[in-house]
Amino acid sequence: MTGFLTLLARNRLALAGGIVLLLVGLLALVTPLLPLADPDVTNTSNRFRPIFSPDALLGTDHLGRDLLSRLMWGTRLSLAVGFAAAIVAATLGAAIGIIAGYYGGRTDNVIMRGVDMLMAFPYILLALAIVAALGPGLLNALIAVAAVNVPFFARNIRGITVGIAHKEFVDAARLAGLSNTRIILSEILPNVVPVIVIAMSTTIGWMILETAGLSFLGLGSQPPQADLGSMLGEARSALITNPHTSIVPGMMILIIVMAINLLGDGVRDALDPRLKSGALSRPMAATRVDRKAPVPAPTGAGLLDVQSLETQFHVKDRVYRAVGGVDLHVEKGECLGIIGESGSGKSVTALSVMGLVASPPGVVTGGAVYYDGEDLIGAPYRRLREMRGRNVAYIFQDPLATLHPLYRVGDQLIEAIRAHRPIGKAEGRAKAVDLLRAVRIPNAETRISDYPHEMSGGMRQRVGIAMALANDPDIIIADEPTTALDVTVQAQVLTILDDLRRSRGLAIVFITHDFGVVAQLCDRVAVMYAGRIVEEGRTAEILDAPRHPYTARLMACVPELGGGKRRLEAIAGLPPAVNKLPPGCAFAERCTRVQEDCRQGHIPLARAGGHGVRCLHPIDDSREAAQ
Ligand code: ADP
Ligand code: MG
C-alpha cells in the first residue's frame, strides 16, 4: 500500500490531480458548516450581479441567488451523485462480470448476451430512455447513469475473470474443497479488485459529466436544487449577456473532471505491476551499446570471435555486471560448450551476440563480437535483422514459450523461411516438411498442420531446432535446449544436433549446466562463473584434468551411471550477486583452495597451449581433482 502511494506521489500530474480533488472534496464536505447564503433564496432585484460584488463573491444568477453558495452546494451534489453512480455501476458490473466469467458456459452466454443488448444502444439515448421511463429527478438520473455503465464494467471484469478462473491456483483451491463462493471471494476477487479500481478511477469523471448532462437537459436535479449541470442549464439563456453565470459552474466541472482523470491515470499506472518500475518504454530492437574503452581488433580466430565482451544491466542506480569481459571463439563446424551455474551470465553472453539483450536495462559496455571479420556490436539494426536467423540462429530452452500458440507449426516455419527468402507458399511448405524430416519428426506431412499444444515437449523442441535451421545458418546458439526435456528425449535431441552439425557443417554454441551433455556433444568447452570465463579448453582435456577448482566441483556434481557409490558434492554457498562482485576471484568465497592473494586484484586467464584457466592456485594433479 505504501509502495502504491509512493508510486502515485512520484507521478506529478496524478499528485496534482489528487490534491485538487482532495481540496474540492473537503470543501464539499464542510459546505453545510460554512457561513454561506441560502442557495435557493431568490431575490430578483439583485439579479446578475457581477463577480466580486461586495455581498456576492461570485455574483448572482438570473433569480438573484448567490452563485458561490449554489456552486458549493451544487459541487457537493454532483460529486455525490457521480461517485454513487460509479460505485453502483462498479459493484453491479463487477458482480455480473465475475459470475459470468467464473461459471462460464451457459451462465456466461445468457448474462453476456443481455449485456451486449444494453451495449447495442447508444448510451446517452439509453440514459435518456431510462429517465424518460422513470421520470425526471436526481435519483433517477443516478440510476440511469449507473445502468448505462454497468455493461462496461461487466465486460471488463468478465474478461479478467475468465483468464483467472483457469489458473492453477484456482484449480488448487477447488481441489482443496473450497466452495464456489469461497473461491470467488478469496481467489478471484483479490485479483480483479485492482482492475475494478482502475476502471472506476478512469470512468468517474465521465459519470459526473453524464449526470451533469442529464441535469443540463432538465432531467436530473429539479429546481430550485442546484447541481453543476442544472446551473449550466439555467445559465444558458444568459450565456452572452452574463457569461459568468455559465463560467462559474463550467470551470468547476472542468477542474473536477480534469483532477479525477489525472488521478485516475496515475492510479492505473501505479496499480499495474507491469508499469511499476516506471518502464513504460518497450525494449529497443537492438541492445544499446555504450563502449567507453577502445574496441579490440579482430584476431581472425574462428568464424565467431567474441572479445572482452561486457554486458551490464543498469537498473536505477544499480549496475549488474552480468557479463564481465568474455573471450570466446567458434570455428566453422565446431561445437563449443558454455557451462556454468544458473545466473553465471551464459544467456546474456549468447543474446549479446546478436543484440538481443533487452534494453533498457541491458547495455553492452565493452568488447566486440566479430562474425567473419564484421563487428556485430553496434551494427545497424537493418544489418542485425538481416543476419539474425540467417547467419546466427537461436534455440531457446522453452519451445512452448517461443512458438506462437495460435498458429500451426508449419505456418510458423514457413514464415521463418520467407522472412529471409522471397519464395512462394508451396515452395516454403515443401521446405518446411524437409526441415521437419531433418529433425526426425515422424509423419512430417501431417504434423506440419499441428498446433504447438498438440505436440509433446521433445517434438516442440525439434520444431524449435527446425526453425533455427530454416535459413541454413552457419552458427546455432542453443541456450539450454534440453533442460526442459526428460533424459531419453534429451539424448534424441542431442543426437539430432550432432548429426546436423556433421551433415551441414554447422557451428554450435551449446549452453548448458550439465557436464554430461558437454561430454557428449562439444569439442571445446568454456566454464563461466559470475560473468567471466574461468576455464577454457578441449573437452577431453578438461574432463580429464580440470584445473580450476570450480570446474572440478561442477564435475563432481554429475552422477555417473554404473560409477558405483560416490558422494555427489553440491557446491556450498551461492554465486555472488553480479552487482556486488568481490575484488579478485569471484569463486574465492566457496573455494576450498583459497589463499590470501585470491581476493586481491584482477586475475587473468592464463593460457598454456589451448587450455586457459583463471586461477592463481590451479589444480595440477588429475588425482587431486577427482577427490
Ligand atoms: P544464466 O547463466 O543462467 O543464463 P543469465 O545470463 O540469464 O544467467 O543472467 C546473468 C546475470 O544477469 C544474473 O545474475 C541475472 O540476475 C542478471 N540479469 C539478467 N537479466 C537481467 C535484467 N533484466 N536486469 C537485471 N539483471 C539481470
Ligand atoms: Mg540462461
Side-chain angles (χ1 to χ4, degrees):
M1 192 62 200
T2 48
F4 166 72
L5 287 180
T6 39
L7 269 177
L8 195 60
R10 209 178 288 152
N11 184 338
R12 293 273 164 74
L13 284 175
L15 188 64
I19 291 175
V20 170
L21 199 63
L22 201 69
L23 284 179
V24 174
L26 273 180
L27 277 179
L29 273 184
V30 300
T31 298
L33 307 177
L34 298 180
L36 291 168
D38 188 322
D40 298 336
V41 170
T42 59
N43 177 3
T44 34
S45 63
N46 218 9
R47 60 203 292 253
F48 290 134
R49 299 287 300 276
I51 290 187
F52 300 131
S53 306
D55 50 347
L57 195 59
L58 291 181
T60 59
D61 70 356
H62 64 295
L63 294 176
R65 294 175 293 197
D66 182 49
L67 267 180
L68 176 64
S69 166
R70 281 182 78 70
L71 181 75
M72 301 281 280
W73 284 95
T75 303
R76 189 175 150 88
L77 200 58
S78 284
L79 280 181
V81 174
F83 274 88
I87 288 171
V88 171
T91 314
L92 274 181
I96 292 174
I98 289 179
I99 289 173
Y102 180 75
Y103 289 100
R106 184 170 299 165
T107 320
D108 184 32
N109 247 328
V110 170
I111 294 181
M112 291 326 282
R113 291 308 79 77
V115 168
D116 286 347
M117 264 166 16
L118 276 184
M119 279 190 125
F121 293 100
Y123 66 85
I124 272 290
L125 275 189
L126 187 62
L128 286 176
I130 294 175
V131 181
L134 298 178
L138 203 50
L139 186 65
N140 294 344
L142 188 157
I143 294 174
V145 170
V148 298
N149 280 290
V150 163
F152 166 78
F153 282 97
R155 276 230 152 270
N156 252 335
I157 303 301
R158 173 195 171 264
I160 307 287
T161 311
V162 167
I164 296 172
H166 297 290
K167 287 264 164 72
E168 285 75 2
F169 66 89
V170 176
D171 289 341
R174 232 176 248 138
L175 290 179
L178 295 192
S179 68
N180 282 330
T181 327
R182 277 287 296 280
I183 295 180
I184 288 181
L185 289 182
S186 64
E187 312 287 330
I188 307 274
L189 194 59
N191 279 293
V192 296
V193 161
V195 185
I196 301 177
V197 173
I198 289 168
M200 230 172 99
S201 62
T202 45
T203 45
I204 280 187
W206 192 233
M207 292 197 213
I208 290 180
L209 275 183
E210 284 168 0
T211 331
L214 287 178
S215 292
F216 179 83
L217 296 175
L219 299 172
S221 80
Q222 298 300 308
Q225 195 183 35
D227 83 344
L228 295 174
S230 65
M231 285 176 72
L232 264 183
E234 288 165 1
R236 191 177 38 165
S237 51
L239 184 62
I240 306 294
T241 48
N242 289 289
H244 71 279
T245 50
S246 305
I247 289 174
V248 167
M251 283 304 285
M252 185 51 98
I253 293 182
L254 180 75
I255 290 173
I256 292 178
V257 174
M258 277 262 285
I260 289 181
N261 285 351
L262 288 178
L263 182 67
D265 284 353
V267 167
R268 185 195 57 206
D269 291 356
L271 274 184
D272 191 331
R274 279 162 303 183
L275 308 177
K276 231 169 208 163
S277 55
L280 272 170
S281 52
R282 288 193 193 174
M284 301 191 295
T287 308
R288 194 158 76 81
V289 176
D290 182 13
R291 289 188 285 196
K292 298 263 169 9
V295 178
T299 55
L303 179 62
L304 187 72
D305 179 16
V306 177
Q307 289 194 37
S308 354
L309 179 70
E310 281 180 31
T311 306
Q312 307 182 339
F313 293 98
H314 295 178
V315 184
K316 302 223 181 75
D317 46 0
R318 290 190 301 271
V319 173
Y320 296 88
R321 296 191 167 75
V323 179
V326 160
D327 299 278
L328 287 174
H329 68 274
V330 190
E331 308 280 353
K332 223 171 154 37
E334 185 186 38
C335 179
L336 170 75
I338 300 182
I339 188 167
E341 278 170 289
S342 175
S344 52
K346 308 181 298 288
S347 298
V348 178
T349 307
L351 292 174
S352 302
V353 169
M354 277 282 140
L356 289 170
V357 179
S359 314
V363 194
V364 175
T365 48
V369 174
Y370 292 103
Y371 176 88
D372 210 7
E374 178 183 353
D375 188 9
L376 300 182
I377 302 293
Y381 173 57
R382 277 182 61 97
R383 181 69 189 135
L384 281 178
R385 222 184 73 188
E386 235 171 59
M387 298 183 74
R388 286 177 184 171
R390 206 169 62 176
N391 298 91
V392 180
Y394 284 85
I395 305 171
F396 295 103
Q397 175 175 345
D398 181 4
L400 195 54
T402 41
L403 291 173
H404 195 303
L406 300 185
Y407 288 109
R408 300 173 191 281
V409 294
D411 293 338
Q412 303 190 45
L413 263 174
I414 297 172
E415 190 186 11
I417 299 168
R418 290 185 7 141
H420 286 292
R421 262 179 291 181
I423 58 172
K425 270 241 155 95
E427 203 182 329
R429 193 186 155 82
K431 169 112 182 138
V433 172
D434 280 349
L435 284 171
L436 290 184
R437 283 212 190 97
V439 293
R440 302 211 205 113
I441 288 191
N443 307 327
E445 293 86 354
T446 49
R447 280 300 195 167
I448 193 168
S449 33
D450 276 2
Y451 287 99
H453 68 264
E454 294 174 316
M455 300 187 135
S456 68
M459 205 75 100
R460 281 198 289 262
Q461 193 54 289
R462 288 180 216 200
V463 173
I465 298 176
M467 213 152 206
L469 290 175
N471 291 292
D472 295 317
D474 298 313
I475 300 178
I476 286 190
I477 299 183
D479 191 350
E480 313 212 21
T482 57
T483 305
L485 306 177
D486 63 65
V487 256
T488 43
V489 180
Q490 164 171 322
Q492 291 167 1
V493 168
L494 290 182
T495 319
I496 292 173
L497 276 175
D498 202 37
D499 288 353
L500 288 170
R501 169 163 84 98
R502 289 177 208 289
S503 60
R504 300 186 181 218
L506 264 175
I508 299 181
V509 178
F510 197 96
I511 297 175
T512 177
H513 56 250
D514 184 349
F515 249 114
V517 174
V518 168
Q520 196 176 340
L521 193 66
C522 301
D523 306 312
R524 271 188 313 122
V525 59
V527 183
M528 268 190 97
Y529 189 76
R532 290 227 169 84
I533 291 186
V534 294
E535 182 159 10
E536 198 223 303
R538 307 212 60 78
T539 309
E541 219 168 295
I542 290 192
L543 285 179
D544 239 20
R547 302 205 58 210
H548 199 287
Y550 177 63
T551 316
R553 299 299 298 269
L554 258 190
M555 282 167 53
C557 297
V558 181
E560 273 171 60
L561 265 189
K565 277 196 191 149
R566 171 171 74 93
R567 268 192 61 182
L568 283 183
E569 304 270 354
I571 309 180
L574 288 173
V578 286
N579 59 338
K580 290 191 259 327
L581 285 179
C585 178
F587 187 61
E589 274 313 307
R590 307 165 76 188
C591 186
T592 48
R593 302 167 62 88
V594 63
Q595 299 192 19
E596 238 353 79
D597 49 355
C598 293
R599 300 182 201 271
Q600 291 151 13
H602 175 76
I603 300 169
L605 190 76
R607 288 182 186 278
H611 194 155
V613 59
R614 195 187 294 278
C615 182
L616 295 178
H617 310 284
I619 303 169
D620 280 325
D621 180 353
S622 58
R623 256 177 307 147
E624 192 183 355
Q627 277 171 7

